[in-house]
Amino acid sequence: MADPVRAGLPFLPYGRQSVEEDDIAAVAAVLRGDWLTQGPAVAAFERALAKWVGAGRVGAVEAVACANGTAALRLAYAALGIGPGDAVVVPSNTFLATASAARHAGAEVAFADVDPDSGLMGVAEAEAAIARAAKAGWRVRALAPVHYAGQTAPMAGLVALAQAEGLALVEDACHAIGTVDLSGGDRADGQEAPVGAGHAEVEAGSLTVFSFHPVKTIAAGEGGAVTGTDPALMARVRRLCNHGMMRDPGEGEAFADPDAALDAGGKPNPWYYEMAEPGFNHRLSDIHAALVLSQLGRLDRFIGRRAALMALYAERLAPLAPLVRPPALVPWCRPAWHLCAARIDFEAAGRTRSAVMTALRALGVGTQVHYIPVHRQPYWRRRYGDLALPGAMSHYAHTLSLPLFPAMADGDVDRVAAALERVLS
Ligand SMILES: Cc1ncc(COP(=O)(O)O)c(C=O)c1O
């Protein structure tokens, strides 16, 4: 008899992109056109993303598209002038890149603890990290809250902390495209706003970074973006993304040879460019931009389907409590869910996580762990020793990301819940 859990059904990965025919047509159109990189698709995607995170207010937010989320982090830290002698506060419950990009800038990383249930860095955890950094003699320059799984860190408090301490803000929103921050009371305009609209009131600078990796809510293949509202800061992000090059003599500093910059009519010479600081090539290609622009058109639909699946999970997992609990909800945002990071009491179930993952896999259910706390990585342990971050360790011990992607059917959630019940009982 067919297994009622598996029943010949396809394997369910923990995340998967949703590519449709219009995505394929959009990419094919670029391949048939004149531009493979930095053409009209990149510009159109930047405009559309800026409009989306600016809640439709054209011109309120600027977006710079780039190669991936890691590149976006590097650009953000570099544009804020973070470098050797500085430190960035990074929650330990994140992907490697939030910390590595700070280190690439030459900065130290002041790892912060997280709430063991939500996996998010709060104000108290950020303050403790700042205090530890001060003891180490580091100059803390920025907070880098991570909007884990699609829920925002408590931004009202973190914005206030950044202002009080004169820190910049780099929001790692790689999980949170489409999430709405409801803590509008602290925003200059008092509005709730999609993540990425920025916090203009943060004097030391505020930037948000996104990833469009295929497991994220919208996919570019590889892709990322930086958004912000400060024109000078965003101009620096844009320059750094493309070798630090400037083509407009008005934008440049004193060019070594002004004759080379301008023609007889006072217009820039066609070959002219200048460089005020070394940048990167972190550009997005038009091929990737066409895909992610097409996907952006379906972001609302993706968010809606993910929300519906999460509501179903809450229902179907309820009978498995207290062994299994759905992700802990925070009140200050309307999440665009990226991960269904369930919390499982493996000890009480008498099964190791490894055994549970293997057994689920045998039943056709893929899972993943987000994340091994970054401060436990050998590189960081060699650098800083063994930090005590109990919230991050507790979150790590209990977390298991269950399948969540828009093409899942309602029945797939039943299947995951039934598989979990079987494996844990
Ligand atoms: C929280 C977080 N930050 C940064 C990144 C880096 O993004 P990318 O993989 O696009 O470089 C990721 C993606 O895995 C992420 O999940």
Side-chain angles (χ1 to χ4, degrees):
M1 206 175 90
D3 183 325
V5 174
R6 183 88 210 238
L9 294 165
F11 182 75
L12 281 175
Y14 84 90
R16 193 181 195 294
Q17 71 274 16
S18 283
V19 172
E20 296 183 5
E21 284 307 316
D22 55 351
D23 297 320
I24 295 168
V27 172
V30 170
L31 293 174
R32 290 195 184 92
D34 294 331
W35 305 84
L36 291 188
T37 191
Q38 297 283 294
V42 167
F45 173 62
E46 287 178 341
R47 279 195 303 274
L49 180 66
K51 191 170 163 198
W52 214 101
V53 301
R57 292 167 300 162
V58 179
V61 178
E62 187 177 345
V64 171
C66 62
N68 49 58
T70 307
L73 283 161
R74 279 207 80 183
L75 291 169
Y77 292 141
L80 289 163
I82 290 164
D86 295 339
V88 178
V89 173
V90 174
S92 189
N93 181 41
T94 185
F95 182 57
L96 302 171
T98 324
S100 298
R103 190 69 205 117
H104 276 300
E108 301 296 343
V109 173
F111 285 107
D113 209 356
V114 298
D115 177 84
D117 274 337
S118 69
L120 297 167
M121 174 179 76
V123 173
E125 290 90 358
E127 282 172 341
I130 292 171
R132 252 184 286 111
K135 260 197 204 148
W138 302 336
R139 186 177 60 222
V140 178
R141 288 283 313 283
L143 302 177
V146 174
H147 300 329
Y148 174 72
Q151 295 196 107
T152 58
M155 291 312 296
L158 292 171
V159 165
L161 179 62
Q163 281 171 302
E165 299 280 334
L167 307 178
L169 203 53
V170 175
E171 288 177 73
D172 184 335
C174 288
H175 292 193
I177 178 86
T179 294
V180 175
D181 181 1
L182 302 176
S183 63
D186 270 48
R187 296 176 54 78
D189 56 10
Q191 300 286 311
E192 63 179 59
V195 167
H199 294 273
E201 63 272 41
V202 175
E203 276 160 36
S206 164
L207 294 168
T208 307
V209 303
F210 295 99
S211 164
F212 309 117
H213 181 277
V215 296
K216 303 293 194 291
T217 304
I218 54 172
E222 292 282 359
V226 182
T227 62
T229 54
D230 176 343
L233 194 53
M234 290 307 294
R236 194 171 184 198
V237 169
R238 191 174 290 289
R239 275 199 306 274
L240 287 167
C241 187
N242 187 21
H243 302 284
M245 279 166 73
M246 292 172 281
R247 285 213 156 81
D248 175 358
E251 185 193 14
E253 296 169 12
F255 191 57
D257 177 3
D259 291 343
L262 304 180
D263 66 15
K267 292 213 183 73
N269 278 314
W271 64 85
Y272 170 87
Y273 55 79
E274 68 176 68
M275 184 194 95
E277 61 180 328
F280 310 93
N281 175 358
H282 282 339
R283 296 181 309 239
L284 187 70
S285 82
D286 248 38
I287 305 168
H288 295 87
L291 175 55
V292 73
L293 175 61
S294 173
Q295 295 251 307
L296 186 62
R298 287 204 299 286
L299 178 55
D300 282 316
R301 212 172 89 198
F302 288 156
I303 292 170
R305 183 63 194 143
R306 284 169 176 270
L309 290 165
M310 289 298 282
L312 267 182
Y313 265 123
E315 245 175 57
R316 302 296 196 269
L317 295 181
L320 302 185
L323 277 190
V324 181
R325 288 172 302 147
L329 303 179
V330 299
W332 50 74
C333 71
R334 191 159 63 240
W337 289 106
H338 161 50
L339 296 173
C340 177
R343 294 160 298 151
I344 301 183
D345 191 339
F346 296 100
E347 225 171 61
R351 307 288 305 268
T352 64
R353 178 163 48 196
S354 171
V356 170
M357 288 178 81
T358 306
L360 286 173
R361 171 163 277 275
L363 295 173
V365 175
T367 55
Q368 190 47 277
V369 175
H370 299 92
Y371 288 102
I372 302 171
V374 182
H375 76 282
R376 296 297 299 159
Q377 293 295 341
Y379 172 82
W380 294 113
R381 288 176 75 184
R382 277 199 305 275
R383 197 164 182 84
Y384 302 142
D386 286 327
L387 302 175
L389 300 177
M393 295 311 286
S394 169
H395 181 271
Y396 170 52
H398 297 115
T399 195
L400 192 68
S401 299
L402 306 178
L404 184 71
F405 54 92
M408 277 173 69
D410 292 1
D412 291 330
V413 174
D414 293 330
R415 201 178 137 199
V416 175
L420 264 173
E421 187 177 9
R422 181 186 293 190
V423 167
L424 292 173
S425 62

